[in-house]
Amino acid sequence: MITVNDLRVHPLDQVHRLIEPGPVILVSTEWQGTPNVMTNGFNMMVRHAPPLIACTIGPWDHSYTALVETGECVISIPTADMAATVVDIGNCSGADVDKFGKFGLTAVAGEAVRAPLIAECWANIECRVADTRLADSHSLFLLEAVRAWTDPSQEAPRLFHHRGDGTFTLDGPVVDLKAHMTKWQYLV
């Protein structure tokens, strides 16, 4: 029988590496006529309908003020072939750099929010801030998806996931367990 003496203590400041929250995303905003984009590795789905997404964006991020002031953003989901660019986007500030220009991103007007979609990404989700009660204390925003888009030319995109230490995992083969979703058939 295994006891705690057989296990290794994992540092609490690295717990986020054990429970990876979701794919790396790009969050675009527009404030005072200027578009910006940031890389985000701390996000998760909260609810199916209406779709709610939790996203950590702190006051240290240039996008924070735009999100607070406008109450809207676009979550763009890049594919694995964009990984190096996405990491580079996260290593500079929109306060100093026009990231759309520097990284060759194509801003596309959405229908529900002023923040731009990113044409190079597989999916774009137009969002409005639904709840900011945890923004001050935990830098956590709840975002309601109000419109979503996918690129039909990318049928089987490979996404990448943040491991918290400069390494990433890539999506692998899809495992189809729809037949086992007996309680949740309405989601299949």
Side-chain angles (χ1 to χ4, degrees), residues 128-144:
R128 290 203 179 97
V129 174
D131 195 325
T132 60
R133 286 178 286 180
L134 295 174
D136 287 339
S137 61
H138 299 294
S139 303
L140 185 71
F141 289 85
L142 286 181
L143 307 170
E144 182 176 350

Side-chain angles (χ1 to χ4, degrees), residues 2-15 17-18:
I2 294 177
T3 69
V4 293
N5 294 328
D6 300 314
L7 303 174
R8 180 176 32 161
V9 173
H10 193 83
L12 289 177
D13 66 347
Q14 295 179 15
V15 167
R17 295 179 185 170
L18 300 175

Side-chain angles (χ1 to χ4, degrees), residues 59-101:
W60 55 85
D61 295 310
H62 182 65
S63 299
Y64 179 87
T65 300
L67 188 57
V68 169
E69 293 296 325
T70 66
E72 59 184 37
C73 66
V74 171
I75 292 176
S76 300
I77 305 173
T79 54
D81 63 322
M82 294 179 65
T85 299
V86 171
V87 171
D88 290 345
I89 289 168
N91 282 307
C92 61
S93 173
D96 308 315
V97 175
D98 167 8
K99 294 186 188 183
F100 277 86

Side-chain angles (χ1 to χ4, degrees), residues 132-168:
T132 60
R133 286 178 286 180
L134 295 174
D136 287 339
S137 61
H138 299 294
S139 303
L140 185 71
F141 289 85
L142 286 181
L143 307 170
E144 182 176 350
V146 295
R147 190 88 79 243
W149 310 92
T150 56
D151 180 349
S153 71
Q154 299 185 45
E155 291 183 27
R158 289 187 72 197
L159 308 182
F160 63 106
H161 305 265
H162 177 251
R163 293 185 53 181
D165 61 355
T167 63
F168 300 83

